[in-house]
Amino acid sequence: MNKNLNLPSCVIMAGGLGKRLGAITKKIPKPIIKVNNKPFLYYLLDKLILSGFSKFVFVLSYKNRKIIEKLEYYKNKKKLKFIYRIDKKKNQGTFKSLNDIKKDLGKDFFYTNADELPNFSIKKFYKLYKSSSSLITFVLFKNSKLGHFAIKEKRIFCSKKKDKNKYIECGFKFINKRIFKLINSNKKKLENNFLNNYLLKRCNYIEIKKLPYRIDSAHEITNAKKFI
């Protein structure tokens, strides 16, 4: 595969309420909480741009004007082009929100949440996705208590109680747009639609040994401030 690999569009989900952070997100939406005097979303964009992304689609809802204000400042400084899509229906979930914006996406796209930083090579991740012809390639981290997935003979399955090694799925995925034709579901959360072995046969994965830095809780914000 060409070393000068052109990455597809990057979809950043930034519409969550951030309820786990309590009072912190009553005035400030989670993606732009400051970590060492810099909005967390800027760290994510710095990483994604350095990895080779150039087209970004933001799915917004809660306090979207505040997020757009920060993004416009970043965009103008870096001379980038951003697409904003507002989830006006509110709380319809990530899967339906993605389905609503599929016209903005090419055949393939990268999906990430706005509250965590990738800690792996995105280009290698994309090469694996393209070479395997999978519908979805995602990132797994071993967590025997909370895991929903199991790996057997390098294939992904829905985990069972007897499985000793279970995995959680982190929020980074390369996705083929055909999933919108294959999934007919009322499940709001994108990830919940993967929890069937029929679809998992069409998926691939990478495993990471360390969780990405996140800001989903006060503890994680404190941790991010130490290491970012």
Side-chain angles (χ1 to χ4, degrees), residues 55-197:
K55 181 181 178 182
F56 296 89
V57 182
F58 297 88
V59 181
L60 308 168
S61 182
Y62 179 66
K63 297 190 181 298
N64 57 80
R65 290 183 181 179
K66 289 191 174 185
I67 298 175
I68 290 172
E69 181 182 344
K70 293 294 184 183
L71 287 173
E72 284 293 292
Y73 175 81
Y74 184 97
K75 178 191 76 172
N76 293 333
K77 193 174 181 180
K78 300 280 186 177
K79 297 181 180 180
L80 298 166
K81 291 184 179 180
F82 292 162
I83 296 173
Y84 305 122
R85 292 291 178 257
I86 312 300
D87 177 11
K88 296 179 180 179
K89 297 175 184 178
K90 295 181 181 180
N91 299 320
Q92 70 169 345
T94 51
F95 178 70
K96 290 184 178 179
S97 295
L98 275 179
N99 195 35
D100 286 348
I101 66 162
K102 60 186 177 184
K103 65 181 182 300
D104 295 315
L105 308 173
K107 177 184 173 183
D108 306 302
F109 62 95
F110 183 68
Y111 171 107
T112 180
N113 296 313
D115 62 354
E116 58 186 335
L117 288 175
N119 56 349
F120 52 88
S121 170
I122 291 177
K123 285 201 170 183
K124 288 182 180 178
F125 186 35
Y126 184 53
K127 287 179 181 180
L128 173 65
Y129 165 73
K130 295 298 286 184
S131 65
S132 65
S133 300
S134 60
L135 285 176
I136 306 163
T137 299
F138 45 66
V139 178
L140 297 179
F141 177 78
K142 188 179 290 186
N143 187 318
S144 297
K145 291 183 178 180
L146 301 176
H148 295 295
F149 301 97
I151 299 173
K152 299 174 183 176
E153 298 179 353
K154 296 185 179 181
R155 296 288 300 274
I156 315 168
F157 297 89
C158 294
S159 64
K160 300 176 182 179
K161 289 184 179 179
K162 64 180 181 180
D163 292 322
K164 293 182 179 179
N165 294 323
K166 298 180 182 181
Y167 296 81
I168 57 172
E169 189 258 319
C170 300
F172 312 104
K173 293 170 271 289
F174 277 106
I175 302 174
N176 186 295
K177 203 160 65 171
R178 281 186 294 154
I179 65 163
F180 298 117
K181 293 182 179 179
L182 293 176
I183 298 175
N184 182 14
S185 172
N186 290 320
K187 294 177 181 178
K188 287 185 175 183
K189 198 172 182 181
L190 174 66
E191 289 80 4
N192 288 344
N193 288 290
F194 302 159
L195 295 175
N196 67 79
N197 286 322

Side-chain angles (χ1 to χ4, degrees), residues 15-22 25-26 28-30 61-62 91:
L17 296 174
K19 288 183 177 180
R20 294 179 186 174
L21 291 171
T25 49
K26 283 187 177 180
I28 303 172
K30 182 167 62 170
S61 182
Y62 179 66
N91 299 320

